[in-house]
Amino acid sequence: MNSKSLLIIDDEKKLCDLLARILELEGYTVYKAYTGKEGLSILGQQQVSVVLCDVKLPDYNGIDLVALIKQLKPFVQVINLTAYGTIADSVVAMKNGAYDYMTKGDDNDKIIPLVAKAFEAAEIAAQSLSSPKPSSNGFDEVIGKSKVMLDLVAMAKKVAHTEANVLLLGETGTGKEVFAKAIHQSSAHAKHEFMAINCSAISAELLESELFGFKKGAFTGALQDKKGLLEQADGGTLFLDEIGDMPLHMQAKILRVLEDGTFIKIGDLQTKKVTIRIIAATHKNLLEEVEKGNFREDLYYRLAVFTLLLPKLNDRGDDVVLLANHFIKRFGAAISMSESFKTALLKHQWKGNIRELKNTIERSLILNEEPVLDVTLLPSNFNATPVGSAVDLEMSSVEEQHIRKVLQHTTGNKSEAAKLLGIGLATLYRKMEQYGIAKY
């Protein structure tokens, strides 16, 4: 593959010649075509890595042509050009596999960095296609056989092989990071790093330094240069969890990364460049956040090229039991579940989704002393358990032993114990005092 060859398909001869001249001055070998048919012919004969394709051609719709180009040469990156760009067209173009979408008449200086970035993406894609495929795929960790999950995985597999940004939506605990990792591992970026950060878990100042890094002396305590997650994930994938909580000034900086792959470290004057794929996730309605002025509209449409909505656990039917078995094996237990235990899991309202199920299984395994998990191991306030039942009475009678076992399991970590018990930390301290449990 000649990494410096590109093709321009545009029926406006003057514009086609102008773009060709600009790019030839940058050292690229440029082929020109004035119809879609002519462009496909050149693509079949020449080693081209990037295509600049007009949307309105005499014989083709340029957006539809993207899919044909990707079928012919999957690694080729296509940039659509149009005189009248619309958000709807850009979304369709990206879903068809386009690398980017640009309006004619924009500053021609933007073409040069965009084309350079597209060549880097083409190189990564070509290497991935030529490498032997592993026996497993990135979606092995996605557990579920319900129709909603099978459809979701099928869509995710399709987008994984493109360069489109992905926005994962869904309630907390639905497995958005698992999906992000699966997409990364099934993509052309799999040989490079997958880096993740939760935008709501840290302060705005720390978030900026974690993402972009900093130069020595940039602020008090900056004793040496630090690489941010963007540099560490160069060539790979950056997962921005809970991006709906990202401060507005940070959103502008992430938008720049999405547009041209550049950023500036804190305390630096030089611009750095990365080739990176961004997958974002949120439990918020970003369009509502846009209306409230909390989220940038231009960033939303950059991120939402391909959107996947992860279902709530209660909408996944028997997947609850499959996931429970998965967690039992993960915790290293060779144990089964009683029918009453399975029924209780299926009836429960999982407000915390998969994360809550995982904690419930871990807690049950800690308390269990039998070869089978029984419904009596579930918390007294479990939604599937009728109030005032014998199970409630039994759980109350062994509360002290229950707390001691959990504290022993966490080696005295009271915060983790409270989480597993499903109570607040203050309540745990009160219970420890009530039962005379020595402080660890």
Side-chain angles (χ1 to χ4, degrees), residues 165-232:
N165 299 318
V166 181
L167 179 61
L168 302 173
L169 304 175
E171 293 183 359
T172 299
T174 48
K176 293 188 285 292
E177 186 166 352
V178 172
F179 257 84
K181 287 180 179 177
I183 291 170
H184 165 74
Q185 290 165 5
S186 299
S187 74
H189 299 270
K191 291 184 179 179
H192 299 273
E193 293 293 331
F194 173 91
M195 306 300 296
I197 190 167
N198 188 320
C199 300
S200 66
I202 57 180
S203 67
E205 295 77 14
L206 184 56
L207 179 62
E208 185 169 5
S209 66
E210 286 296 310
L211 282 173
F212 301 109
F214 52 78
K215 295 291 288 183
K216 178 181 179 181
F219 50 83
T220 303
L223 303 179
Q224 59 185 10
D225 289 359
K226 177 186 175 180
K227 281 187 176 182
L229 295 181
L230 282 166
E231 281 188 273
Q232 295 177 54

Side-chain angles (χ1 to χ4, degrees), residues 104 116 134 136 160 256 297 362 381 383 411:
K104 292 180 181 179
S136 61
R256 182 179 178 184
E297 184 176 19
E362 183 177 8
N381 62 348
N383 288 1
T411 61

Side-chain angles (χ1 to χ4, degrees), residues 117 251-264 271:
K117 192 177 175 186
Q251 292 177 29
K253 295 184 177 184
I254 288 296
L255 180 62
R256 182 179 178 184
V257 175
L258 286 168
E259 287 178 341
D260 59 17
T262 64
F263 68 96
I264 300 175
T271 298

Side-chain angles (χ1 to χ4, degrees), residues 71-241:
Q71 287 177 14
L72 187 61
K73 291 189 176 180
F75 65 86
V76 169
Q77 304 301 311
V78 184
I79 300 170
N80 274 133
L81 302 171
T82 182
Y84 305 100
T86 67
I87 289 171
D89 281 348
S90 67
V91 170
V92 175
M94 295 295 194
K95 285 186 176 180
N96 282 356
Y99 178 73
D100 213 325
Y101 188 95
M102 190 167 181
T103 303
K104 292 180 181 179
D106 281 359
D107 186 351
N108 285 330
D109 288 342
K110 292 181 180 179
I111 284 283
I112 297 169
L114 181 59
V115 167
K117 192 177 175 186
F119 270 108
E120 292 174 358
E123 187 67 32
I124 292 172
Q127 290 175 359
S128 174
L129 289 169
S130 63
S131 301
K133 298 294 185 291
S135 56
S136 61
N137 66 74
F139 290 90
D140 289 345
E141 288 298 312
V142 178
I143 309 300
K145 293 184 179 179
S146 59
K147 184 179 186 305
V148 64
M149 286 303 294
L150 292 176
D151 290 345
L152 192 65
V153 168
M155 291 176 65
K157 285 181 177 179
K158 288 182 179 179
V159 76
H161 298 297
T162 74
E163 290 299 312
N165 299 318
V166 181
L167 179 61
L168 302 173
L169 304 175
E171 293 183 359
T172 299
T174 48
K176 293 188 285 292
E177 186 166 352
V178 172
F179 257 84
K181 287 180 179 177
I183 291 170
H184 165 74
Q185 290 165 5
S186 299
S187 74
H189 299 270
K191 291 184 179 179
H192 299 273
E193 293 293 331
F194 173 91
M195 306 300 296
I197 190 167
N198 188 320
C199 300
S200 66
I202 57 180
S203 67
E205 295 77 14
L206 184 56
L207 179 62
E208 185 169 5
S209 66
E210 286 296 310
L211 282 173
F212 301 109
F214 52 78
K215 295 291 288 183
K216 178 181 179 181
F219 50 83
T220 303
L223 303 179
Q224 59 185 10
D225 289 359
K226 177 186 175 180
K227 281 187 176 182
L229 295 181
L230 282 166
E231 281 188 273
Q232 295 177 54
D234 192 11
T237 302
L238 176 64
F239 176 53
L240 299 174
D241 198 8

